């Protein structure tokens, strides 16, 4: 009955692939099966000592760090993440997060996480954009693995310029001391999963991790949807 209803809906209101723009068929969501196969996955959740862990453990040893897809310029992955980040296409963020959760569901460490925390945006940027894309990812992970999603423990206190056109050195300088803790005692002795949409230089994540690392006995793991080659 439901199958008939959705088939009818697809005829009346066709949905299109975000990759190749072809009409999606029943069972396909966001991407058609061809584009789905084309997504360039990092597969770094199979390697505990991957390049992402090394890149973001500069100030504090990270337990686990995983990224879902490679963000290469002009690729399908970068097109999807860009649309999610800047075009209000929240459905893409939820879709990619759920695909990644399917791949992580058998990992023991993910079940040991106490809280999921999104890398915060400054309140002015969040108001301008209308949402924090990392919070959407964090919320989906929380729902999927039944982990509490906290938004009351870390805050972005400096509103700084967009980093997209900055040099690597400029980016690191730009994000120094931009985060502050609130209710830090809630995170004492806890294993948290810090979530971001995209890691490029790792500057913002490292800055946030440095701030969180001052909390007694905290353990930190990191999940991002996309990563560039770092
Ligand atoms: Zn397609």
């Amino acid at each position: 009955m439901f199958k008939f209803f959705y088939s009818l809906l697809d005829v009346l209101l066709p949905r299109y692939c975000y990759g190749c723009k072809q009409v999606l068929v029943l069972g396909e969501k966001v991407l058609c099966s061809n584009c789905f196969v084309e997504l360039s996955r990092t597969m770094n959740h199979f390697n505990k000592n991957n390049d992402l862990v090394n890149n973001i453990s500069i100030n504090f040893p990270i337990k686990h760090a995983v990224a879902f897809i490679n963000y290469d310029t002009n690729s399908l992955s970068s097109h999807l993440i860009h649309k999610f980040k800047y075009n209000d296409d929240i459905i893409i963020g939820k879709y990619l997060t759920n695909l990644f959760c399917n791949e992580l569901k058998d990992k023991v460490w993910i079940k040991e996480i106490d809280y999921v925390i999104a890398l915060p945006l400054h309140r002015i940027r969040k108001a301008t954009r209308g949402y924090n894309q990392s919070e959407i990812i964090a919320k989906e992970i929380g729902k999927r693995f039944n982990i509490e999603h906290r938004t009351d423990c870390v805050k972005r206190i400096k509103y700084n310029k967009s980093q997209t056109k900055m040099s690597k050195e400029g980016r690191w300088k730009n994000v120094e001391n931009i985060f502050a803790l609130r209710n830090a005692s809630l995170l004492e002795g806890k294993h948290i999963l810090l979530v971001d949409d995209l890691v490029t230089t790792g500057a913002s994540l490292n800055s946030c991790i440095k701030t969180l690392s001052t909390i007694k006995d905290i353990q930190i793991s990191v999940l991002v949807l996309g990563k560039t080659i770092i």
Side-chain angles (χ1 to χ4, degrees), residues 17-22 31-32 34-35:
C17 172
Y18 276 81
C20 65
K21 311 278 184 286
Q22 281 195 34
L31 294 180
C32 70
N34 289 338
C35 290

Side-chain angles (χ1 to χ4, degrees), residues 7-217:
S7 305
L8 186 66
L9 209 60
D10 272 346
V11 173
L12 297 173
L13 293 167
R15 301 167 300 125
Y16 298 93
C17 172
Y18 276 81
C20 65
K21 311 278 184 286
Q22 281 195 34
V23 175
L24 294 176
V25 297
L26 192 67
E28 290 176 341
K29 204 176 163 189
V30 177
L31 294 180
C32 70
S33 9
N34 289 338
C35 290
F36 172 82
V37 175
E38 233 183 74
L39 266 185
S40 163
R41 290 161 165 78
T42 74
M43 304 306 268
N44 67 2
H45 53 289
F46 290 114
N47 177 11
K48 195 171 185 297
N49 296 313
N50 58 54
D51 58 346
L52 182 59
V53 171
N54 296 328
N55 180 270
I56 57 175
S57 292
I58 291 170
N59 300 305
F60 185 73
I62 294 302
K63 296 277 288 179
H64 301 270
V66 289
F68 183 40
I69 46 180
N70 291 307
Y71 184 93
D72 306 319
T73 318
N74 297 325
S75 67
L76 174 61
S77 311
S78 62
H79 170 68
L80 292 177
I81 288 185
H82 196 272
K83 274 189 126 17
F84 169 47
K85 197 168 173 139
Y86 301 109
N87 284 37
D88 285 350
D89 278 317
I90 286 167
I91 186 178
I92 297 177
K94 291 184 176 179
Y95 169 77
L96 293 174
T97 306
N98 276 296
L99 288 181
F100 200 17
C101 286
N102 292 343
E103 295 186 6
L104 295 172
K105 68 178 188 320
D106 296 325
K107 298 280 173 200
V108 174
W109 65 267
I110 203 114
K111 291 162 192 155
E112 293 168 352
I113 300 284
D114 295 297
Y115 297 123
V116 191
I117 296 179
L119 197 83
L121 283 184
H122 190 273
R123 60 184 170 78
I124 297 176
R125 177 144 299 144
K126 188 175 170 181
T128 319
R129 195 173 288 173
Y131 60 100
N132 174 357
Q133 66 282 358
S134 302
E135 269 179 24
I136 289 162
I137 304 167
K139 222 181 273 179
E140 283 301 299
I141 295 168
K143 267 199 275 179
R144 186 70 185 267
F145 295 116
N146 200 20
I147 308 168
E148 191 175 344
H149 165 219
R150 293 210 84 100
T151 54
D152 57 349
C153 293
V154 55
K155 195 178 170 186
R156 198 165 189 134
I157 48 171
K158 281 191 198 156
Y159 182 72
N160 42 17
K161 289 183 277 182
S162 164
Q163 305 209 110
T164 44
K165 291 197 175 75
M166 279 185 192
S167 66
K168 196 171 176 186
E169 292 71 28
R171 284 186 181 210
W172 284 86
K173 195 105 205 96
N174 194 38
V175 296
E176 267 175 25
N177 306 314
I178 61 167
F179 297 100
L181 298 172
R182 293 187 301 173
N183 309 311
S185 61
L186 292 172
L187 301 184
E188 282 180 9
K190 302 292 185 196
H191 185 180
I192 66 151
L193 182 66
L194 187 61
V195 169
D196 200 4
D197 57 339
L198 175 67
V199 59
T200 51
T201 61
S204 302
L205 268 174
N206 269 299
S207 177
C208 190
I209 289 163
K210 190 176 181 185
T211 303
L212 286 163
S213 69
T214 58
I215 297 171
K216 192 170 174 278
D217 297 329

